[in-house]
Amino acid sequence: MASTETERQYPSFASRAKTVFKAWLKEPAQISSLVPSSHVLTEEVANRDCVRRAKLVVDLGPGTGETTQSLLHHMSETSHLIAIEKSEVLMEPLRKISDPRAIIINGDARFLARYLAEAGLGAPDVIVSGIPFSTLPQRIALQVIEAIDAALPKGGTFIAYQLSNRIEELASPLFGEPEVETVWLNLPPLRVFSWVK
Ligand SMILES: C[S@@+](CC[C@H](N)C(=O)[O-])C[C@H]1O[C@@H](n2cnc3c(N)ncnc32)[C@H](O)[C@@H]1O
């Protein structure tokens, strides 16, 4: 029922790409990529046992909601997802995701602790991030990583899909060596880094 409702309301790829372009014109360093993620990329991020087992997944920088939809598709019926997107422009497609498991927040990943406390759903099992760490100012990139580290319990999984290796410099001192997969069928091709804390 929830997914049929979402299919009816969720904008087309062309309309989502237009929205991303509008958001990019306002904040190019924050948005970074001009094309919504491909199905191959979102499957690489979401089609995992840790997502299927998770009670709570956090989706940081969901853009128009490609990763959000894929995560919800693989998550269990009783789980929850919190998506935190900074761009007001991108809230329009995100708010059309009609799934009772999803909490969509227009906010900043640096304040993740506050949103988690307000949701009252406990600590996340998985945190996914599409935030472009390579184009963010160093201070902000560090604050986002520190917020992820503070929120993720031992044994939790952190997954970041990125254009550059900068995330490795930021996250490996906290989480150790990542597993890395390159997804060529995405514009641009991206690397998916995963760490188990
Ligand atoms: C590359 S896009 C994500 C693409 C999207 N997940 C997809 O699958 O198409 C990066 C997103 O991170 C968001 N972002 C950047 N900094 C952020 C922050 N501090 N908090 C939350 N979102 C942020 C941007 O507004 C943008 O929507």
Side-chain angles (χ1 to χ4, degrees):
M1 160 89 170
S3 74
T4 316
E5 183 65 14
T6 297
E7 276 160 28
R8 243 199 315 273
Q9 297 196 351
Y10 196 52
S12 66
F13 180 85
S15 159
R16 295 195 314 272
K18 226 191 271 175
T19 309
V20 171
F21 185 61
K22 258 198 248 168
W24 178 83
L25 286 176
K26 279 190 147 184
E27 294 280 357
Q30 180 186 303
I31 306 293
S32 167
S33 164
L34 275 176
V35 183
S37 297
S38 70
H39 181 67
V40 179
L41 178 78
T42 61
E43 276 294 296
E44 177 63 39
V45 168
N47 186 1
R48 299 172 181 237
D49 285 342
C50 63
V51 171
R52 279 183 277 278
R53 282 195 305 260
K55 290 195 179 70
L56 178 62
V57 173
V58 169
D59 187 13
L60 300 174
T64 49
E66 270 55 34
T67 44
T68 319
Q69 304 255 49
S70 222
L71 287 162
L72 287 165
H73 176 74
H74 290 286
M75 287 163 60
S76 75
E77 287 296 310
T78 53
S79 60
H80 289 91
L81 176 143
I82 300 178
I84 301 165
E85 170 54 55
K86 198 168 173 199
S87 165
E88 173 62 40
V89 176
L90 296 171
M91 292 313 282
E92 192 198 332
L94 276 176
R95 287 191 176 121
K96 297 216 163 106
I97 296 175
S98 155
D99 187 311
R101 296 170 297 166
I103 299 169
I104 310 285
I105 296 170
N106 183 205
D108 190 320
R110 290 179 291 167
F111 310 125
L112 176 57
R114 187 207 302 163
Y115 307 129
L116 285 171
E118 283 167 3
L121 294 166
D125 306 287
V126 179
I127 299 181
V128 170
S129 177
I131 292 175
F133 288 93
S134 55
T135 53
L136 289 183
Q138 171 82 356
R139 185 179 55 85
I140 294 180
L142 275 172
Q143 287 172 342
V144 174
I145 281 291
E146 282 161 11
I148 291 168
D149 185 31
L152 196 65
K154 198 166 182 309
T157 305
F158 173 43
I159 304 165
Y161 51 103
Q162 300 284 304
L163 192 53
S164 99
N165 286 338
R166 173 130 182 263
I167 183 69
E168 249 189 298
E169 290 162 34
L170 295 163
S172 292
L174 298 167
F175 306 129
E177 283 301 299
E179 268 185 29
V180 187
E181 285 294 330
T182 302
V183 177
W184 297 102
L185 287 176
N186 190 69
L187 258 180
L190 292 184
R191 259 159 293 177
V192 180
F193 298 82
S194 4
W195 290 265
V196 176
K197 187 169 170 187

PDB file of all heavy atoms in Angstrom, residues 106-144:
ATOM      1  N   ASN A 106      14.334  17.878   7.043  1.00  0.00           N
ATOM      2  CA  ASN A 106      15.119  18.910   6.372  1.00  0.00           C
ATOM      3  C   ASN A 106      16.087  19.450   7.418  1.00  0.00           C
ATOM      4  O   ASN A 106      15.720  20.248   8.278  1.00  0.00           O
ATOM      5  CB  ASN A 106      14.184  20.013   5.857  1.00  0.00           C
ATOM      6  CG  ASN A 106      14.906  21.094   5.071  1.00  0.00           C
ATOM      7  OD1 ASN A 106      14.447  22.217   4.983  1.00  0.00           O
ATOM      8  ND2 ASN A 106      16.029  20.775   4.475  1.00  0.00           N
ATOM      9  N   GLY A 107      17.325  18.966   7.392  1.00  0.00           N
ATOM     10  CA  GLY A 107      18.278  19.336   8.438  1.00  0.00           C
ATOM     11  C   GLY A 107      19.704  19.056   8.015  1.00  0.00           C
ATOM     12  O   GLY A 107      19.976  18.744   6.853  1.00  0.00           O
ATOM     13  N   ASP A 108      20.598  19.160   8.985  1.00  0.00           N
ATOM     14  CA  ASP A 108      22.035  19.060   8.725  1.00  0.00           C
ATOM     15  C   ASP A 108      22.587  17.839   9.455  1.00  0.00           C
ATOM     16  O   ASP A 108      22.363  17.688  10.660  1.00  0.00           O
ATOM     17  CB  ASP A 108      22.683  20.356   9.249  1.00  0.00           C
ATOM     18  CG  ASP A 108      24.132  20.486   8.832  1.00  0.00           C
ATOM     19  OD1 ASP A 108      24.858  19.464   8.844  1.00  0.00           O
ATOM     20  OD2 ASP A 108      24.541  21.610   8.509  1.00  0.00           O
ATOM     21  N   ALA A 109      23.321  17.003   8.719  1.00  0.00           N
ATOM     22  CA  ALA A 109      23.860  15.763   9.292  1.00  0.00           C
ATOM     23  C   ALA A 109      24.735  16.019  10.520  1.00  0.00           C
ATOM     24  O   ALA A 109      24.901  15.136  11.351  1.00  0.00           O
ATOM     25  CB  ALA A 109      24.669  15.025   8.225  1.00  0.00           C
ATOM     26  N   ARG A 110      25.274  17.225  10.638  1.00  0.00           N
ATOM     27  CA  ARG A 110      26.122  17.523  11.798  1.00  0.00           C
ATOM     28  C   ARG A 110      25.316  17.445  13.102  1.00  0.00           C
ATOM     29  O   ARG A 110      25.872  17.283  14.171  1.00  0.00           O
ATOM     30  CB  ARG A 110      26.737  18.924  11.655  1.00  0.00           C
ATOM     31  CG  ARG A 110      27.781  18.977  10.562  1.00  0.00           C
ATOM     32  CD  ARG A 110      28.340  20.362  10.426  1.00  0.00           C
ATOM     33  NE  ARG A 110      27.374  21.292   9.894  1.00  0.00           N
ATOM     34  CZ  ARG A 110      27.520  22.624   9.906  1.00  0.00           C
ATOM     35  NH1 ARG A 110      28.589  23.154  10.461  1.00  0.00           N
ATOM     36  NH2 ARG A 110      26.596  23.411   9.389  1.00  0.00           N
ATOM     37  N   PHE A 111      23.973  17.580  12.979  1.00  0.00           N
ATOM     38  CA  PHE A 111      23.125  17.561  14.179  1.00  0.00           C
ATOM     39  C   PHE A 111      22.382  16.234  14.328  1.00  0.00           C
ATOM     40  O   PHE A 111      21.298  16.173  14.912  1.00  0.00           O
ATOM     41  CB  PHE A 111      22.161  18.759  14.155  1.00  0.00           C
ATOM     42  CG  PHE A 111      22.874  20.050  13.877  1.00  0.00           C
ATOM     43  CD1 PHE A 111      22.495  20.878  12.835  1.00  0.00           C
ATOM     44  CD2 PHE A 111      23.989  20.408  14.637  1.00  0.00           C
ATOM     45  CE1 PHE A 111      23.185  22.052  12.558  1.00  0.00           C
ATOM     46  CE2 PHE A 111      24.692  21.582  14.368  1.00  0.00           C
ATOM     47  CZ  PHE A 111      24.292  22.407  13.333  1.00  0.00           C
ATOM     48  N   LEU A 112      22.991  15.176  13.796  1.00  0.00           N
ATOM     49  CA  LEU A 112      22.385  13.841  13.817  1.00  0.00           C
ATOM     50  C   LEU A 112      21.956  13.421  15.225  1.00  0.00           C
ATOM     51  O   LEU A 112      20.864  12.864  15.399  1.00  0.00           O
ATOM     52  CB  LEU A 112      23.411  12.839  13.234  1.00  0.00           C
ATOM     53  CG  LEU A 112      23.056  11.366  13.244  1.00  0.00           C
ATOM     54  CD1 LEU A 112      21.755  11.118  12.500  1.00  0.00           C
ATOM     55  CD2 LEU A 112      24.186  10.545  12.616  1.00  0.00           C
ATOM     56  N   ALA A 113      22.774  13.699  16.239  1.00  0.00           N
ATOM     57  CA  ALA A 113      22.453  13.279  17.614  1.00  0.00           C
ATOM     58  C   ALA A 113      21.091  13.838  18.046  1.00  0.00           C
ATOM     59  O   ALA A 113      20.285  13.141  18.663  1.00  0.00           O
ATOM     60  CB  ALA A 113      23.543  13.740  18.573  1.00  0.00           C
ATOM     61  N   ARG A 114      20.857  15.100  17.681  1.00  0.00           N
ATOM     62  CA  ARG A 114      19.594  15.746  18.085  1.00  0.00           C
ATOM     63  C   ARG A 114      18.393  15.055  17.407  1.00  0.00           C
ATOM     64  O   ARG A 114      17.384  14.758  18.046  1.00  0.00           O
ATOM     65  CB  ARG A 114      19.621  17.230  17.701  1.00  0.00           C
ATOM     66  CG  ARG A 114      18.435  17.996  18.221  1.00  0.00           C
ATOM     67  CD  ARG A 114      18.094  19.200  17.384  1.00  0.00           C
ATOM     68  NE  ARG A 114      19.219  20.129  17.293  1.00  0.00           N
ATOM     69  CZ  ARG A 114      19.300  21.090  16.377  1.00  0.00           C
ATOM     70  NH1 ARG A 114      18.338  21.235  15.480  1.00  0.00           N
ATOM     71  NH2 ARG A 114      20.336  21.901  16.344  1.00  0.00           N
ATOM     72  N   TYR A 115      18.514  14.779  16.095  1.00  0.00           N
ATOM     73  CA  TYR A 115      17.392  14.151  15.376  1.00  0.00           C
ATOM     74  C   TYR A 115      17.127  12.736  15.919  1.00  0.00           C
ATOM     75  O   TYR A 115      15.980  12.315  16.009  1.00  0.00           O
ATOM     76  CB  TYR A 115      17.659  14.091  13.870  1.00  0.00           C
ATOM     77  CG  TYR A 115      18.040  15.429  13.258  1.00  0.00           C
ATOM     78  CD1 TYR A 115      19.169  15.555  12.457  1.00  0.00           C
ATOM     79  CD2 TYR A 115      17.271  16.566  13.497  1.00  0.00           C
ATOM     80  CE1 TYR A 115      19.518  16.773  11.899  1.00  0.00           C
ATOM     81  CE2 TYR A 115      17.618  17.793  12.950  1.00  0.00           C
ATOM     82  CZ  TYR A 115      18.748  17.889  12.160  1.00  0.00           C
ATOM     83  OH  TYR A 115      19.090  19.096  11.619  1.00  0.00           O
ATOM     84  N   LEU A 116      18.197  12.021  16.258  1.00  0.00           N
ATOM     85  CA  LEU A 116      18.027  10.665  16.792  1.00  0.00           C
ATOM     86  C   LEU A 116      17.316  10.722  18.145  1.00  0.00           C
ATOM     87  O   LEU A 116      16.422   9.916  18.415  1.00  0.00           O
ATOM     88  CB  LEU A 116      19.380   9.966  16.926  1.00  0.00           C
ATOM     89  CG  LEU A 116      20.013   9.486  15.607  1.00  0.00           C
ATOM     90  CD1 LEU A 116      21.441   9.009  15.839  1.00  0.00           C
ATOM     91  CD2 LEU A 116      19.184   8.371  14.970  1.00  0.00           C
ATOM     92  N   ALA A 117      17.715  11.686  18.977  1.00  0.00           N
ATOM     93  CA  ALA A 117      17.079  11.810  20.298  1.00  0.00           C
ATOM     94  C   ALA A 117      15.589  12.140  20.129  1.00  0.00           C
ATOM     95  O   ALA A 117      14.731  11.576  20.816  1.00  0.00           O
ATOM     96  CB  ALA A 117      17.789  12.884  21.112  1.00  0.00           C
ATOM     97  N   GLU A 118      15.290  13.044  19.178  1.00  0.00           N
ATOM     98  CA  GLU A 118      13.881  13.430  18.953  1.00  0.00           C
ATOM     99  C   GLU A 118      13.052  12.257  18.432  1.00  0.00           C
ATOM    100  O   GLU A 118      11.891  12.097  18.786  1.00  0.00           O
ATOM    101  CB  GLU A 118      13.804  14.597  17.957  1.00  0.00           C
ATOM    102  CG  GLU A 118      14.177  15.921  18.601  1.00  0.00           C
ATOM    103  CD  GLU A 118      14.408  17.048  17.594  1.00  0.00           C
ATOM    104  OE1 GLU A 118      14.217  16.839  16.369  1.00  0.00           O
ATOM    105  OE2 GLU A 118      14.800  18.134  18.048  1.00  0.00           O
ATOM    106  N   ALA A 119      13.662  11.411  17.593  1.00  0.00           N
ATOM    107  CA  ALA A 119      12.920  10.274  17.024  1.00  0.00           C
ATOM    108  C   ALA A 119      12.674   9.207  18.086  1.00  0.00           C
ATOM    109  O   ALA A 119      11.686   8.470  18.018  1.00  0.00           O
ATOM    110  CB  ALA A 119      13.688   9.686  15.843  1.00  0.00           C
ATOM    111  N   GLY A 120      13.578   9.091  19.065  1.00  0.00           N
ATOM    112  CA  GLY A 120      13.402   8.128  20.158  1.00  0.00           C
ATOM    113  C   GLY A 120      13.401   6.677  19.699  1.00  0.00           C
ATOM    114  O   GLY A 120      12.728   5.832  20.290  1.00  0.00           O
ATOM    115  N   LEU A 121      14.146   6.372  18.648  1.00  0.00           N
ATOM    116  CA  LEU A 121      14.173   4.999  18.107  1.00  0.00           C
ATOM    117  C   LEU A 121      15.474   4.271  18.443  1.00  0.00           C
ATOM    118  O   LEU A 121      15.746   3.200  17.906  1.00  0.00           O
ATOM    119  CB  LEU A 121      13.987   5.047  16.574  1.00  0.00           C
ATOM    120  CG  LEU A 121      12.624   5.551  16.093  1.00  0.00           C
ATOM    121  CD1 LEU A 121      12.659   5.877  14.604  1.00  0.00           C
ATOM    122  CD2 LEU A 121      11.547   4.507  16.389  1.00  0.00           C
ATOM    123  N   GLY A 122      16.283   4.862  19.301  1.00  0.00           N
ATOM    124  CA  GLY A 122      17.551   4.221  19.684  1.00  0.00           C
ATOM    125  C   GLY A 122      18.646   4.509  18.682  1.00  0.00           C
ATOM    126  O   GLY A 122      18.536   5.406  17.837  1.00  0.00           O
ATOM    127  N   ALA A 123      19.716   3.711  18.778  1.00  0.00           N
ATOM    128  CA  ALA A 123      20.894   3.945  17.920  1.00  0.00           C
ATOM    129  C   ALA A 123      20.700   3.260  16.568  1.00  0.00           C
ATOM    130  O   ALA A 123      20.080   2.198  16.488  1.00  0.00           O
ATOM    131  CB  ALA A 123      22.132   3.391  18.611  1.00  0.00           C
ATOM    132  N   PRO A 124      21.240   3.860  15.501  1.00  0.00           N
ATOM    133  CA  PRO A 124      21.088   3.226  14.174  1.00  0.00           C
ATOM    134  C   PRO A 124      22.006   2.012  14.027  1.00  0.00           C
ATOM    135  O   PRO A 124      23.089   1.963  14.598  1.00  0.00           O
ATOM    136  CB  PRO A 124      21.517   4.340  13.207  1.00  0.00           C
ATOM    137  CG  PRO A 124      22.386   5.248  14.000  1.00  0.00           C
ATOM    138  CD  PRO A 124      21.946   5.149  15.434  1.00  0.00           C
ATOM    139  N   ASP A 125      21.542   1.025  13.255  1.00  0.00           N
ATOM    140  CA  ASP A 125      22.377  -0.138  12.930  1.00  0.00           C
ATOM    141  C   ASP A 125      23.237   0.156  11.705  1.00  0.00           C
ATOM    142  O   ASP A 125      24.322  -0.384  11.552  1.00  0.00           O
ATOM    143  CB  ASP A 125      21.487  -1.350  12.631  1.00  0.00           C
ATOM    144  CG  ASP A 125      20.515  -1.597  13.761  1.00  0.00           C
ATOM    145  OD1 ASP A 125      20.973  -2.070  14.809  1.00  0.00           O
ATOM    146  OD2 ASP A 125      19.320  -1.263  13.625  1.00  0.00           O
ATOM    147  N   VAL A 126      22.706   1.001  10.825  1.00  0.00           N
ATOM    148  CA  VAL A 126      23.407   1.333   9.576  1.00  0.00           C
ATOM    149  C   VAL A 126      23.262   2.836   9.326  1.00  0.00           C
ATOM    150  O   VAL A 126      22.169   3.389   9.484  1.00  0.00           O
ATOM    151  CB  VAL A 126      22.788   0.567   8.371  1.00  0.00           C
ATOM    152  CG1 VAL A 126      23.491   0.933   7.064  1.00  0.00           C
ATOM    153  CG2 VAL A 126      22.834  -0.944   8.591  1.00  0.00           C
ATOM    154  N   ILE A 127      24.380   3.477   8.957  1.00  0.00           N
ATOM    155  CA  ILE A 127      24.320   4.874   8.497  1.00  0.00           C
ATOM    156  C   ILE A 127      24.859   4.912   7.071  1.00  0.00           C
ATOM    157  O   ILE A 127      25.961   4.415   6.802  1.00  0.00           O
ATOM    158  CB  ILE A 127      25.139   5.821   9.405  1.00  0.00           C
ATOM    159  CG1 ILE A 127      24.593   5.796  10.841  1.00  0.00           C
ATOM    160  CG2 ILE A 127      25.117   7.245   8.845  1.00  0.00           C
ATOM    161  CD1 ILE A 127      25.322   6.706  11.820  1.00  0.00           C
ATOM    162  N   VAL A 128      24.049   5.470   6.160  1.00  0.00           N
ATOM    163  CA  VAL A 128      24.440   5.595   4.748  1.00  0.00           C
ATOM    164  C   VAL A 128      24.656   7.076   4.477  1.00  0.00           C
ATOM    165  O   VAL A 128      23.889   7.910   4.954  1.00  0.00           O
ATOM    166  CB  VAL A 128      23.307   5.047   3.847  1.00  0.00           C
ATOM    167  CG1 VAL A 128      23.560   5.384   2.385  1.00  0.00           C
ATOM    168  CG2 VAL A 128      23.158   3.541   4.034  1.00  0.00           C
ATOM    169  N   SER A 129      25.701   7.411   3.712  1.00  0.00           N
ATOM    170  CA  SER A 129      25.907   8.822   3.392  1.00  0.00           C
ATOM    171  C   SER A 129      26.275   9.042   1.933  1.00  0.00           C
ATOM    172  O   SER A 129      27.206   8.437   1.417  1.00  0.00           O
ATOM    173  CB  SER A 129      27.001   9.418   4.288  1.00  0.00           C
ATOM    174  OG  SER A 129      27.212  10.764   3.906  1.00  0.00           O
ATOM    175  N   GLY A 130      25.518   9.956   1.297  1.00  0.00           N
ATOM    176  CA  GLY A 130      25.852  10.409  -0.059  1.00  0.00           C
ATOM    177  C   GLY A 130      26.438  11.810  -0.005  1.00  0.00           C
ATOM    178  O   GLY A 130      26.684  12.420  -1.044  1.00  0.00           O
ATOM    179  N   ILE A 131      26.648  12.329   1.206  1.00  0.00           N
ATOM    180  CA  ILE A 131      27.184  13.687   1.358  1.00  0.00           C
ATOM    181  C   ILE A 131      28.556  13.750   0.689  1.00  0.00           C
ATOM    182  O   ILE A 131      29.409  12.894   0.944  1.00  0.00           O
ATOM    183  CB  ILE A 131      27.264  14.049   2.869  1.00  0.00           C
ATOM    184  CG1 ILE A 131      25.849  14.178   3.424  1.00  0.00           C
ATOM    185  CG2 ILE A 131      28.063  15.334   3.078  1.00  0.00           C
ATOM    186  CD1 ILE A 131      25.798  14.407   4.925  1.00  0.00           C
ATOM    187  N   PRO A 132      28.781  14.742  -0.195  1.00  0.00           N
ATOM    188  CA  PRO A 132      30.047  14.785  -0.948  1.00  0.00           C
ATOM    189  C   PRO A 132      31.207  15.336  -0.098  1.00  0.00           C
ATOM    190  O   PRO A 132      31.496  16.525  -0.130  1.00  0.00           O
ATOM    191  CB  PRO A 132      29.714  15.701  -2.126  1.00  0.00           C
ATOM    192  CG  PRO A 132      28.612  16.583  -1.632  1.00  0.00           C
ATOM    193  CD  PRO A 132      27.870  15.840  -0.563  1.00  0.00           C
ATOM    194  N   PHE A 133      31.875  14.446   0.642  1.00  0.00           N
ATOM    195  CA  PHE A 133      32.923  14.870   1.573  1.00  0.00           C
ATOM    196  C   PHE A 133      34.071  15.591   0.868  1.00  0.00           C
ATOM    197  O   PHE A 133      34.732  16.435   1.451  1.00  0.00           O
ATOM    198  CB  PHE A 133      33.451  13.659   2.356  1.00  0.00           C
ATOM    199  CG  PHE A 133      32.481  13.150   3.371  1.00  0.00           C
ATOM    200  CD1 PHE A 133      31.583  12.137   3.058  1.00  0.00           C
ATOM    201  CD2 PHE A 133      32.430  13.699   4.642  1.00  0.00           C
ATOM    202  CE1 PHE A 133      30.664  11.681   3.987  1.00  0.00           C
ATOM    203  CE2 PHE A 133      31.515  13.259   5.589  1.00  0.00           C
ATOM    204  CZ  PHE A 133      30.631  12.242   5.251  1.00  0.00           C
ATOM    205  N   SER A 134      34.304  15.281  -0.422  1.00  0.00           N
ATOM    206  CA  SER A 134      35.459  15.873  -1.115  1.00  0.00           C
ATOM    207  C   SER A 134      35.237  17.340  -1.475  1.00  0.00           C
ATOM    208  O   SER A 134      36.197  18.078  -1.662  1.00  0.00           O
ATOM    209  CB  SER A 134      35.771  15.083  -2.390  1.00  0.00           C
ATOM    210  OG  SER A 134      34.625  15.018  -3.187  1.00  0.00           O
ATOM    211  N   THR A 135      33.975  17.782  -1.566  1.00  0.00           N
ATOM    212  CA  THR A 135      33.754  19.185  -1.942  1.00  0.00           C
ATOM    213  C   THR A 135      33.312  20.042  -0.750  1.00  0.00           C
ATOM    214  O   THR A 135      33.164  21.247  -0.879  1.00  0.00           O
ATOM    215  CB  THR A 135      32.695  19.301  -3.075  1.00  0.00           C
ATOM    216  OG1 THR A 135      31.515  18.602  -2.677  1.00  0.00           O
ATOM    217  CG2 THR A 135      33.211  18.722  -4.377  1.00  0.00           C
ATOM    218  N   LEU A 136      33.127  19.416   0.411  1.00  0.00           N
ATOM    219  CA  LEU A 136      32.741  20.199   1.598  1.00  0.00           C
ATOM    220  C   LEU A 136      33.972  20.837   2.226  1.00  0.00           C
ATOM    221  O   LEU A 136      35.069  20.273   2.165  1.00  0.00           O
ATOM    222  CB  LEU A 136      32.106  19.291   2.655  1.00  0.00           C
ATOM    223  CG  LEU A 136      30.721  18.722   2.417  1.00  0.00           C
ATOM    224  CD1 LEU A 136      30.277  17.924   3.632  1.00  0.00           C
ATOM    225  CD2 LEU A 136      29.718  19.814   2.110  1.00  0.00           C
ATOM    226  N   PRO A 137      33.816  22.009   2.863  1.00  0.00           N
ATOM    227  CA  PRO A 137      34.940  22.557   3.631  1.00  0.00           C
ATOM    228  C   PRO A 137      35.386  21.535   4.689  1.00  0.00           C
ATOM    229  O   PRO A 137      34.545  20.829   5.264  1.00  0.00           O
ATOM    230  CB  PRO A 137      34.346  23.812   4.292  1.00  0.00           C
ATOM    231  CG  PRO A 137      33.115  24.130   3.504  1.00  0.00           C
ATOM    232  CD  PRO A 137      32.614  22.845   2.924  1.00  0.00           C
ATOM    233  N   GLN A 138      36.721  21.461   4.927  1.00  0.00           N
ATOM    234  CA  GLN A 138      37.296  20.467   5.839  1.00  0.00           C
ATOM    235  C   GLN A 138      36.603  20.450   7.203  1.00  0.00           C
ATOM    236  O   GLN A 138      36.297  19.399   7.754  1.00  0.00           O
ATOM    237  CB  GLN A 138      38.797  20.780   5.995  1.00  0.00           C
ATOM    238  CG  GLN A 138      39.527  19.993   7.065  1.00  0.00           C
ATOM    239  CD  GLN A 138      39.956  18.606   6.585  1.00  0.00           C
ATOM    240  OE1 GLN A 138      39.650  18.188   5.455  1.00  0.00           O
ATOM    241  NE2 GLN A 138      40.660  17.893   7.438  1.00  0.00           N
ATOM    242  N   ARG A 139      36.319  21.644   7.746  1.00  0.00           N
ATOM    243  CA  ARG A 139      35.739  21.730   9.093  1.00  0.00           C
ATOM    244  C   ARG A 139      34.362  21.048   9.134  1.00  0.00           C
ATOM    245  O   ARG A 139      34.044  20.293  10.044  1.00  0.00           O
ATOM    246  CB  ARG A 139      35.613  23.223   9.475  1.00  0.00           C
ATOM    247  CG  ARG A 139      35.148  23.513  10.884  1.00  0.00           C
ATOM    248  CD  ARG A 139      35.090  25.025  11.126  1.00  0.00           C
ATOM    249  NE  ARG A 139      34.262  25.724  10.143  1.00  0.00           N
ATOM    250  CZ  ARG A 139      32.943  25.866  10.223  1.00  0.00           C
ATOM    251  NH1 ARG A 139      32.288  25.381  11.246  1.00  0.00           N
ATOM    252  NH2 ARG A 139      32.267  26.505   9.281  1.00  0.00           N
ATOM    253  N   ILE A 140      33.578  21.294   8.084  1.00  0.00           N
ATOM    254  CA  ILE A 140      32.217  20.721   8.053  1.00  0.00           C
ATOM    255  C   ILE A 140      32.293  19.205   7.828  1.00  0.00           C
ATOM    256  O   ILE A 140      31.600  18.424   8.484  1.00  0.00           O
ATOM    257  CB  ILE A 140      31.362  21.427   6.975  1.00  0.00           C
ATOM    258  CG1 ILE A 140      31.169  22.873   7.402  1.00  0.00           C
ATOM    259  CG2 ILE A 140      30.020  20.712   6.775  1.00  0.00           C
ATOM    260  CD1 ILE A 140      30.358  23.719   6.480  1.00  0.00           C
ATOM    261  N   ALA A 141      33.179  18.786   6.912  1.00  0.00           N
ATOM    262  CA  ALA A 141      33.334  17.346   6.639  1.00  0.00           C
ATOM    263  C   ALA A 141      33.706  16.617   7.944  1.00  0.00           C
ATOM    264  O   ALA A 141      33.154  15.547   8.253  1.00  0.00           O
ATOM    265  CB  ALA A 141      34.395  17.128   5.570  1.00  0.00           C
ATOM    266  N   LEU A 142      34.621  17.219   8.729  1.00  0.00           N
ATOM    267  CA  LEU A 142      35.032  16.594   9.996  1.00  0.00           C
ATOM    268  C   LEU A 142      33.882  16.534  10.997  1.00  0.00           C
ATOM    269  O   LEU A 142      33.703  15.537  11.691  1.00  0.00           O
ATOM    270  CB  LEU A 142      36.188  17.384  10.613  1.00  0.00           C
ATOM    271  CG  LEU A 142      37.574  17.023  10.100  1.00  0.00           C
ATOM    272  CD1 LEU A 142      38.615  17.998  10.638  1.00  0.00           C
ATOM    273  CD2 LEU A 142      37.941  15.583  10.500  1.00  0.00           C
ATOM    274  N   GLN A 143      33.083  17.593  11.025  1.00  0.00           N
ATOM    275  CA  GLN A 143      31.945  17.614  11.974  1.00  0.00           C
ATOM    276  C   GLN A 143      30.922  16.525  11.608  1.00  0.00           C
ATOM    277  O   GLN A 143      30.347  15.899  12.489  1.00  0.00           O
ATOM    278  CB  GLN A 143      31.279  18.987  11.975  1.00  0.00           C
ATOM    279  CG  GLN A 143      32.123  20.036  12.683  1.00  0.00           C
ATOM    280  CD  GLN A 143      31.564  21.444  12.518  1.00  0.00           C
ATOM    281  OE1 GLN A 143      30.750  21.710  11.626  1.00  0.00           O
ATOM    282  NE2 GLN A 143      32.004  22.357  13.365  1.00  0.00           N
ATOM    283  N   VAL A 144      30.715  16.306  10.295  1.00  0.00           N
ATOM    284  CA  VAL A 144      29.761  15.269   9.876  1.00  0.00           C
ATOM    285  C   VAL A 144      30.291  13.894  10.295  1.00  0.00           C
ATOM    286  O   VAL A 144      29.569  13.066  10.869  1.00  0.00           O
ATOM    287  CB  VAL A 144      29.481  15.321   8.351  1.00  0.00           C
ATOM    288  CG1 VAL A 144      28.606  14.149   7.925  1.00  0.00           C
ATOM    289  CG2 VAL A 144      28.818  16.639   7.956  1.00  0.00           C
TER     290      VAL A 144
END
